[in-house]
Structures are given as C-alpha cells and as structure tokens.
Amino acid sequence: MLPDTIEIIMAYMFSGSGVKHIRLPQSIKAIVGGAFRRCSELTAIYYDGTVEQWHEIIKNPEWDAETGDYVVICSDGTLTKEQANDTA
C-alpha cells in the first residue's frame, strides 16, 4: 500500500515485479515512464478516487506496457485496461 500523500508513481517503480494488485491513493497526479511495465501478473488497481479523477491523472503512454488484462476499480466504477487508458 502506498502512502496517501504520494503524488507521482516514478518510472519503473514496479516494472517487472510480480505485483498482482495495488491500491493507489486519490493523491496520485502522475504515473511516469514504465511504472508498471512488464507487470504481467497485474490483475487489479484499486484507486481511491473516482473514474473522472482517474482520467485526470497524467499517464505516460508506456506506463503499463507489457501488462496483462487488469481492471481499475474506482470509488464509483470499474474500468477495463482499455478504458483506463482512454484519454477522450
């Protein structure tokens, strides 16, 4: 579990790890570099904020490269991997 005050998930912070699920606090403002690159076992990201707030997070295009399918579970809904990366 990450501290509730963290604002940036740094490049390669979890890259290649066996992380299966993680809780991200609402304080997250950016996910940079390949923070979750090659986390092939990742199945769920529990995000304390709303779907709208998730989409406001600045995410590097490679932040989740080479991951399997995962879902982002927000306080008001669940996003598929594709929806989690939708910037529209």
Side-chain angles (χ1 to χ4, degrees), residues 30-58:
I31 303 174
V32 297
F36 289 90
R37 179 183 208 90
R38 292 188 320 271
C39 289
S40 59
E41 296 181 44
L42 182 65
T43 59
I45 297 172
Y46 297 91
Y47 176 61
D48 291 342
T50 64
V51 168
E52 181 178 348
Q53 290 170 317
W54 173 263
H55 287 301
E56 291 173 357
I57 296 172
I58 298 165

PDB file of all heavy atoms in Angstrom, residues 30-58:
ATOM      1  N   ALA A  30       0.323  11.776 -11.250  1.00  0.00           N
ATOM      2  CA  ALA A  30       1.023  11.328 -12.460  1.00  0.00           C
ATOM      3  C   ALA A  30       1.600   9.934 -12.270  1.00  0.00           C
ATOM      4  O   ALA A  30       2.014   9.552 -11.171  1.00  0.00           O
ATOM      5  CB  ALA A  30       2.147  12.301 -12.810  1.00  0.00           C
ATOM      6  N   ILE A  31       1.595   9.179 -13.382  1.00  0.00           N
ATOM      7  CA  ILE A  31       2.257   7.873 -13.449  1.00  0.00           C
ATOM      8  C   ILE A  31       3.229   7.992 -14.611  1.00  0.00           C
ATOM      9  O   ILE A  31       2.812   8.091 -15.765  1.00  0.00           O
ATOM     10  CB  ILE A  31       1.252   6.727 -13.668  1.00  0.00           C
ATOM     11  CG1 ILE A  31       0.182   6.722 -12.567  1.00  0.00           C
ATOM     12  CG2 ILE A  31       1.985   5.389 -13.714  1.00  0.00           C
ATOM     13  CD1 ILE A  31      -0.928   5.714 -12.783  1.00  0.00           C
ATOM     14  N   VAL A  32       4.520   8.028 -14.308  1.00  0.00           N
ATOM     15  CA  VAL A  32       5.510   8.335 -15.335  1.00  0.00           C
ATOM     16  C   VAL A  32       6.296   7.106 -15.773  1.00  0.00           C
ATOM     17  O   VAL A  32       6.339   6.088 -15.082  1.00  0.00           O
ATOM     18  CB  VAL A  32       6.475   9.448 -14.850  1.00  0.00           C
ATOM     19  CG1 VAL A  32       5.712  10.726 -14.597  1.00  0.00           C
ATOM     20  CG2 VAL A  32       7.232   9.041 -13.623  1.00  0.00           C
ATOM     21  N   GLY A  33       6.919   7.254 -16.946  1.00  0.00           N
ATOM     22  CA  GLY A  33       7.738   6.191 -17.504  1.00  0.00           C
ATOM     23  C   GLY A  33       6.994   4.873 -17.576  1.00  0.00           C
ATOM     24  O   GLY A  33       5.781   4.828 -17.715  1.00  0.00           O
ATOM     25  N   GLY A  34       7.688   3.816 -17.444  1.00  0.00           N
ATOM     26  CA  GLY A  34       7.104   2.478 -17.478  1.00  0.00           C
ATOM     27  C   GLY A  34       6.856   1.962 -16.072  1.00  0.00           C
ATOM     28  O   GLY A  34       7.302   0.876 -15.715  1.00  0.00           O
ATOM     29  N   ALA A  35       6.147   2.733 -15.274  1.00  0.00           N
ATOM     30  CA  ALA A  35       5.956   2.417 -13.851  1.00  0.00           C
ATOM     31  C   ALA A  35       5.494   0.982 -13.600  1.00  0.00           C
ATOM     32  O   ALA A  35       5.925   0.343 -12.653  1.00  0.00           O
ATOM     33  CB  ALA A  35       4.982   3.405 -13.219  1.00  0.00           C
ATOM     34  N   PHE A  36       4.619   0.463 -14.464  1.00  0.00           N
ATOM     35  CA  PHE A  36       4.113  -0.904 -14.300  1.00  0.00           C
ATOM     36  C   PHE A  36       4.507  -1.804 -15.480  1.00  0.00           C
ATOM     37  O   PHE A  36       3.923  -2.856 -15.680  1.00  0.00           O
ATOM     38  CB  PHE A  36       2.584  -0.886 -14.144  1.00  0.00           C
ATOM     39  CG  PHE A  36       2.123  -0.326 -12.826  1.00  0.00           C
ATOM     40  CD1 PHE A  36       1.865   1.024 -12.683  1.00  0.00           C
ATOM     41  CD2 PHE A  36       1.967  -1.150 -11.725  1.00  0.00           C
ATOM     42  CE1 PHE A  36       1.449   1.551 -11.472  1.00  0.00           C
ATOM     43  CE2 PHE A  36       1.552  -0.639 -10.506  1.00  0.00           C
ATOM     44  CZ  PHE A  36       1.291   0.720 -10.384  1.00  0.00           C
ATOM     45  N   ARG A  37       5.506  -1.392 -16.239  1.00  0.00           N
ATOM     46  CA  ARG A  37       5.958  -2.148 -17.415  1.00  0.00           C
ATOM     47  C   ARG A  37       6.321  -3.587 -17.019  1.00  0.00           C
ATOM     48  O   ARG A  37       6.949  -3.819 -15.994  1.00  0.00           O
ATOM     49  CB  ARG A  37       7.160  -1.447 -18.031  1.00  0.00           C
ATOM     50  CG  ARG A  37       7.715  -2.146 -19.232  1.00  0.00           C
ATOM     51  CD  ARG A  37       8.964  -1.424 -19.752  1.00  0.00           C
ATOM     52  NE  ARG A  37       9.067  -1.670 -21.160  1.00  0.00           N
ATOM     53  CZ  ARG A  37       8.536  -0.919 -22.100  1.00  0.00           C
ATOM     54  NH1 ARG A  37       7.870   0.154 -21.774  1.00  0.00           N
ATOM     55  NH2 ARG A  37       8.661  -1.235 -23.361  1.00  0.00           N
ATOM     56  N   ARG A  38       5.885  -4.531 -17.826  1.00  0.00           N
ATOM     57  CA  ARG A  38       6.160  -5.957 -17.638  1.00  0.00           C
ATOM     58  C   ARG A  38       5.599  -6.526 -16.333  1.00  0.00           C
ATOM     59  O   ARG A  38       6.113  -7.522 -15.819  1.00  0.00           O
ATOM     60  CB  ARG A  38       7.657  -6.248 -17.767  1.00  0.00           C
ATOM     61  CG  ARG A  38       8.187  -6.043 -19.163  1.00  0.00           C
ATOM     62  CD  ARG A  38       9.624  -6.505 -19.354  1.00  0.00           C
ATOM     63  NE  ARG A  38      10.526  -6.203 -18.256  1.00  0.00           N
ATOM     64  CZ  ARG A  38      11.235  -5.091 -18.130  1.00  0.00           C
ATOM     65  NH1 ARG A  38      11.156  -4.156 -19.031  1.00  0.00           N
ATOM     66  NH2 ARG A  38      12.037  -4.927 -17.107  1.00  0.00           N
ATOM     67  N   CYS A  39       4.546  -5.921 -15.812  1.00  0.00           N
ATOM     68  CA  CYS A  39       3.852  -6.487 -14.637  1.00  0.00           C
ATOM     69  C   CYS A  39       2.759  -7.402 -15.174  1.00  0.00           C
ATOM     70  O   CYS A  39       1.568  -7.094 -15.130  1.00  0.00           O
ATOM     71  CB  CYS A  39       3.266  -5.376 -13.762  1.00  0.00           C
ATOM     72  SG  CYS A  39       4.518  -4.430 -12.887  1.00  0.00           S
ATOM     73  N   SER A  40       3.192  -8.534 -15.695  1.00  0.00           N
ATOM     74  CA  SER A  40       2.276  -9.436 -16.397  1.00  0.00           C
ATOM     75  C   SER A  40       1.249 -10.089 -15.475  1.00  0.00           C
ATOM     76  O   SER A  40       0.225 -10.575 -15.947  1.00  0.00           O
ATOM     77  CB  SER A  40       3.072 -10.517 -17.132  1.00  0.00           C
ATOM     78  OG  SER A  40       3.858 -11.255 -16.215  1.00  0.00           O
ATOM     79  N   GLU A  41       1.481 -10.081 -14.179  1.00  0.00           N
ATOM     80  CA  GLU A  41       0.539 -10.686 -13.237  1.00  0.00           C
ATOM     81  C   GLU A  41      -0.469  -9.685 -12.670  1.00  0.00           C
ATOM     82  O   GLU A  41      -1.349 -10.058 -11.900  1.00  0.00           O
ATOM     83  CB  GLU A  41       1.316 -11.354 -12.100  1.00  0.00           C
ATOM     84  CG  GLU A  41       2.186 -12.510 -12.583  1.00  0.00           C
ATOM     85  CD  GLU A  41       2.924 -13.173 -11.451  1.00  0.00           C
ATOM     86  OE1 GLU A  41       2.295 -13.415 -10.397  1.00  0.00           O
ATOM     87  OE2 GLU A  41       4.129 -13.437 -11.604  1.00  0.00           O
ATOM     88  N   LEU A  42      -0.354  -8.416 -13.074  1.00  0.00           N
ATOM     89  CA  LEU A  42      -1.245  -7.384 -12.566  1.00  0.00           C
ATOM     90  C   LEU A  42      -2.687  -7.669 -12.981  1.00  0.00           C
ATOM     91  O   LEU A  42      -2.979  -7.843 -14.159  1.00  0.00           O
ATOM     92  CB  LEU A  42      -0.815  -6.010 -13.095  1.00  0.00           C
ATOM     93  CG  LEU A  42      -1.611  -4.803 -12.611  1.00  0.00           C
ATOM     94  CD1 LEU A  42      -1.425  -4.620 -11.109  1.00  0.00           C
ATOM     95  CD2 LEU A  42      -1.176  -3.555 -13.362  1.00  0.00           C
ATOM     96  N   THR A  43      -3.582  -7.744 -12.003  1.00  0.00           N
ATOM     97  CA  THR A  43      -4.995  -8.006 -12.294  1.00  0.00           C
ATOM     98  C   THR A  43      -5.906  -6.875 -11.850  1.00  0.00           C
ATOM     99  O   THR A  43      -6.976  -6.693 -12.418  1.00  0.00           O
ATOM    100  CB  THR A  43      -5.487  -9.305 -11.623  1.00  0.00           C
ATOM    101  OG1 THR A  43      -5.304  -9.196 -10.218  1.00  0.00           O
ATOM    102  CG2 THR A  43      -4.746 -10.519 -12.171  1.00  0.00           C
ATOM    103  N   ALA A  44      -5.485  -6.104 -10.837  1.00  0.00           N
ATOM    104  CA  ALA A  44      -6.361  -5.043 -10.341  1.00  0.00           C
ATOM    105  C   ALA A  44      -5.577  -3.879  -9.751  1.00  0.00           C
ATOM    106  O   ALA A  44      -4.602  -4.067  -9.022  1.00  0.00           O
ATOM    107  CB  ALA A  44      -7.319  -5.585  -9.292  1.00  0.00           C
ATOM    108  N   ILE A  45      -6.037  -2.678 -10.086  1.00  0.00           N
ATOM    109  CA  ILE A  45      -5.557  -1.455  -9.463  1.00  0.00           C
ATOM    110  C   ILE A  45      -6.759  -0.880  -8.722  1.00  0.00           C
ATOM    111  O   ILE A  45      -7.790  -0.597  -9.338  1.00  0.00           O
ATOM    112  CB  ILE A  45      -5.033  -0.445 -10.499  1.00  0.00           C
ATOM    113  CG1 ILE A  45      -3.831  -1.025 -11.244  1.00  0.00           C
ATOM    114  CG2 ILE A  45      -4.682   0.884  -9.822  1.00  0.00           C
ATOM    115  CD1 ILE A  45      -3.356  -0.193 -12.423  1.00  0.00           C
ATOM    116  N   TYR A  46      -6.639  -0.762  -7.425  1.00  0.00           N
ATOM    117  CA  TYR A  46      -7.706  -0.175  -6.612  1.00  0.00           C
ATOM    118  C   TYR A  46      -7.363   1.298  -6.432  1.00  0.00           C
ATOM    119  O   TYR A  46      -6.356   1.624  -5.807  1.00  0.00           O
ATOM    120  CB  TYR A  46      -7.797  -0.875  -5.257  1.00  0.00           C
ATOM    121  CG  TYR A  46      -8.167  -2.330  -5.378  1.00  0.00           C
ATOM    122  CD1 TYR A  46      -7.187  -3.312  -5.483  1.00  0.00           C
ATOM    123  CD2 TYR A  46      -9.502  -2.723  -5.410  1.00  0.00           C
ATOM    124  CE1 TYR A  46      -7.525  -4.650  -5.610  1.00  0.00           C
ATOM    125  CE2 TYR A  46      -9.849  -4.063  -5.532  1.00  0.00           C
ATOM    126  CZ  TYR A  46      -8.850  -5.008  -5.632  1.00  0.00           C
ATOM    127  OH  TYR A  46      -9.192  -6.333  -5.760  1.00  0.00           O
ATOM    128  N   TYR A  47      -8.173   2.158  -7.020  1.00  0.00           N
ATOM    129  CA  TYR A  47      -7.916   3.593  -6.961  1.00  0.00           C
ATOM    130  C   TYR A  47      -8.950   4.250  -6.060  1.00  0.00           C
ATOM    131  O   TYR A  47     -10.153   4.078  -6.257  1.00  0.00           O
ATOM    132  CB  TYR A  47      -7.957   4.188  -8.376  1.00  0.00           C
ATOM    133  CG  TYR A  47      -7.809   5.681  -8.409  1.00  0.00           C
ATOM    134  CD1 TYR A  47      -6.663   6.287  -7.913  1.00  0.00           C
ATOM    135  CD2 TYR A  47      -8.815   6.487  -8.931  1.00  0.00           C
ATOM    136  CE1 TYR A  47      -6.522   7.665  -7.934  1.00  0.00           C
ATOM    137  CE2 TYR A  47      -8.680   7.859  -8.959  1.00  0.00           C
ATOM    138  CZ  TYR A  47      -7.535   8.445  -8.457  1.00  0.00           C
ATOM    139  OH  TYR A  47      -7.404   9.812  -8.474  1.00  0.00           O
ATOM    140  N   ASP A  48      -8.498   5.011  -5.079  1.00  0.00           N
ATOM    141  CA  ASP A  48      -9.384   5.606  -4.088  1.00  0.00           C
ATOM    142  C   ASP A  48     -10.270   6.723  -4.639  1.00  0.00           C
ATOM    143  O   ASP A  48     -11.258   7.092  -4.009  1.00  0.00           O
ATOM    144  CB  ASP A  48      -8.583   6.145  -2.900  1.00  0.00           C
ATOM    145  CG  ASP A  48      -7.967   5.044  -2.059  1.00  0.00           C
ATOM    146  OD1 ASP A  48      -8.410   3.876  -2.169  1.00  0.00           O
ATOM    147  OD2 ASP A  48      -7.040   5.346  -1.284  1.00  0.00           O
ATOM    148  N   GLY A  49      -9.923   7.259  -5.798  1.00  0.00           N
ATOM    149  CA  GLY A  49     -10.709   8.338  -6.390  1.00  0.00           C
ATOM    150  C   GLY A  49     -11.786   7.822  -7.330  1.00  0.00           C
ATOM    151  O   GLY A  49     -12.019   6.623  -7.456  1.00  0.00           O
ATOM    152  N   THR A  50     -12.424   8.750  -8.019  1.00  0.00           N
ATOM    153  CA  THR A  50     -13.494   8.428  -8.959  1.00  0.00           C
ATOM    154  C   THR A  50     -12.930   8.117 -10.343  1.00  0.00           C
ATOM    155  O   THR A  50     -11.743   8.360 -10.617  1.00  0.00           O
ATOM    156  CB  THR A  50     -14.459   9.616  -9.105  1.00  0.00           C
ATOM    157  OG1 THR A  50     -13.746  10.723  -9.687  1.00  0.00           O
ATOM    158  CG2 THR A  50     -15.057  10.022  -7.759  1.00  0.00           C
ATOM    159  N   VAL A  51     -13.784   7.618 -11.216  1.00  0.00           N
ATOM    160  CA  VAL A  51     -13.392   7.361 -12.604  1.00  0.00           C
ATOM    161  C   VAL A  51     -12.910   8.674 -13.243  1.00  0.00           C
ATOM    162  O   VAL A  51     -11.885   8.699 -13.931  1.00  0.00           O
ATOM    163  CB  VAL A  51     -14.574   6.752 -13.401  1.00  0.00           C
ATOM    164  CG1 VAL A  51     -14.288   6.747 -14.892  1.00  0.00           C
ATOM    165  CG2 VAL A  51     -14.888   5.345 -12.901  1.00  0.00           C
ATOM    166  N   GLU A  52     -13.628   9.746 -13.021  1.00  0.00           N
ATOM    167  CA  GLU A  52     -13.239  11.042 -13.584  1.00  0.00           C
ATOM    168  C   GLU A  52     -11.852  11.450 -13.093  1.00  0.00           C
ATOM    169  O   GLU A  52     -11.014  11.909 -13.876  1.00  0.00           O
ATOM    170  CB  GLU A  52     -14.270  12.111 -13.205  1.00  0.00           C
ATOM    171  CG  GLU A  52     -13.944  13.474 -13.779  1.00  0.00           C
ATOM    172  CD  GLU A  52     -14.985  14.540 -13.441  1.00  0.00           C
ATOM    173  OE1 GLU A  52     -16.081  14.199 -12.956  1.00  0.00           O
ATOM    174  OE2 GLU A  52     -14.684  15.718 -13.675  1.00  0.00           O
ATOM    175  N   GLN A  53     -11.583  11.263 -11.807  1.00  0.00           N
ATOM    176  CA  GLN A  53     -10.266  11.603 -11.265  1.00  0.00           C
ATOM    177  C   GLN A  53      -9.179  10.703 -11.846  1.00  0.00           C
ATOM    178  O   GLN A  53      -8.060  11.160 -12.088  1.00  0.00           O
ATOM    179  CB  GLN A  53     -10.286  11.504  -9.736  1.00  0.00           C
ATOM    180  CG  GLN A  53     -11.106  12.599  -9.095  1.00  0.00           C
ATOM    181  CD  GLN A  53     -11.326  12.372  -7.616  1.00  0.00           C
ATOM    182  OE1 GLN A  53     -11.616  11.254  -7.183  1.00  0.00           O
ATOM    183  NE2 GLN A  53     -11.193  13.431  -6.831  1.00  0.00           N
ATOM    184  N   TRP A  54      -9.495   9.432 -12.084  1.00  0.00           N
ATOM    185  CA  TRP A  54      -8.522   8.528 -12.710  1.00  0.00           C
ATOM    186  C   TRP A  54      -8.099   9.082 -14.068  1.00  0.00           C
ATOM    187  O   TRP A  54      -6.926   9.101 -14.412  1.00  0.00           O
ATOM    188  CB  TRP A  54      -9.088   7.115 -12.863  1.00  0.00           C
ATOM    189  CG  TRP A  54      -8.176   6.232 -13.658  1.00  0.00           C
ATOM    190  CD1 TRP A  54      -8.268   5.947 -14.989  1.00  0.00           C
ATOM    191  CD2 TRP A  54      -6.996   5.569 -13.191  1.00  0.00           C
ATOM    192  NE1 TRP A  54      -7.227   5.135 -15.374  1.00  0.00           N
ATOM    193  CE2 TRP A  54      -6.430   4.897 -14.290  1.00  0.00           C
ATOM    194  CE3 TRP A  54      -6.375   5.480 -11.951  1.00  0.00           C
ATOM    195  CZ2 TRP A  54      -5.268   4.140 -14.178  1.00  0.00           C
ATOM    196  CZ3 TRP A  54      -5.213   4.726 -11.846  1.00  0.00           C
ATOM    197  CH2 TRP A  54      -4.674   4.065 -12.953  1.00  0.00           C
ATOM    198  N   HIS A  55      -9.063   9.539 -14.848  1.00  0.00           N
ATOM    199  CA  HIS A  55      -8.763  10.054 -16.178  1.00  0.00           C
ATOM    200  C   HIS A  55      -7.990  11.369 -16.135  1.00  0.00           C
ATOM    201  O   HIS A  55      -7.356  11.735 -17.124  1.00  0.00           O
ATOM    202  CB  HIS A  55     -10.039  10.186 -17.006  1.00  0.00           C
ATOM    203  CG  HIS A  55     -10.584   8.864 -17.449  1.00  0.00           C
ATOM    204  ND1 HIS A  55      -9.858   7.970 -18.218  1.00  0.00           N
ATOM    205  CD2 HIS A  55     -11.773   8.263 -17.216  1.00  0.00           C
ATOM    206  CE1 HIS A  55     -10.579   6.885 -18.449  1.00  0.00           C
ATOM    207  NE2 HIS A  55     -11.746   7.041 -17.845  1.00  0.00           N
ATOM    208  N   GLU A  56      -8.008  12.065 -15.013  1.00  0.00           N
ATOM    209  CA  GLU A  56      -7.249  13.306 -14.867  1.00  0.00           C
ATOM    210  C   GLU A  56      -5.780  13.057 -14.544  1.00  0.00           C
ATOM    211  O   GLU A  56      -4.951  13.956 -14.667  1.00  0.00           O
ATOM    212  CB  GLU A  56      -7.885  14.187 -13.784  1.00  0.00           C
ATOM    213  CG  GLU A  56      -9.239  14.738 -14.193  1.00  0.00           C
ATOM    214  CD  GLU A  56      -9.953  15.461 -13.057  1.00  0.00           C
ATOM    215  OE1 GLU A  56      -9.420  15.500 -11.915  1.00  0.00           O
ATOM    216  OE2 GLU A  56     -11.058  15.966 -13.310  1.00  0.00           O
ATOM    217  N   ILE A  57      -5.440  11.847 -14.131  1.00  0.00           N
ATOM    218  CA  ILE A  57      -4.047  11.513 -13.823  1.00  0.00           C
ATOM    219  C   ILE A  57      -3.237  11.544 -15.123  1.00  0.00           C
ATOM    220  O   ILE A  57      -3.641  10.964 -16.130  1.00  0.00           O
ATOM    221  CB  ILE A  57      -3.941  10.120 -13.166  1.00  0.00           C
ATOM    222  CG1 ILE A  57      -4.652  10.110 -11.818  1.00  0.00           C
ATOM    223  CG2 ILE A  57      -2.471   9.709 -13.004  1.00  0.00           C
ATOM    224  CD1 ILE A  57      -4.765   8.725 -11.198  1.00  0.00           C
ATOM    225  N   ILE A  58      -2.105  12.213 -15.086  1.00  0.00           N
ATOM    226  CA  ILE A  58      -1.205  12.244 -16.235  1.00  0.00           C
ATOM    227  C   ILE A  58      -0.493  10.900 -16.283  1.00  0.00           C
ATOM    228  O   ILE A  58       0.157  10.500 -15.314  1.00  0.00           O
ATOM    229  CB  ILE A  58      -0.183  13.393 -16.104  1.00  0.00           C
ATOM    230  CG1 ILE A  58      -0.921  14.734 -16.066  1.00  0.00           C
ATOM    231  CG2 ILE A  58       0.837  13.338 -17.233  1.00  0.00           C
ATOM    232  CD1 ILE A  58      -0.064  15.883 -15.593  1.00  0.00           C
TER     233      ILE A  58
END
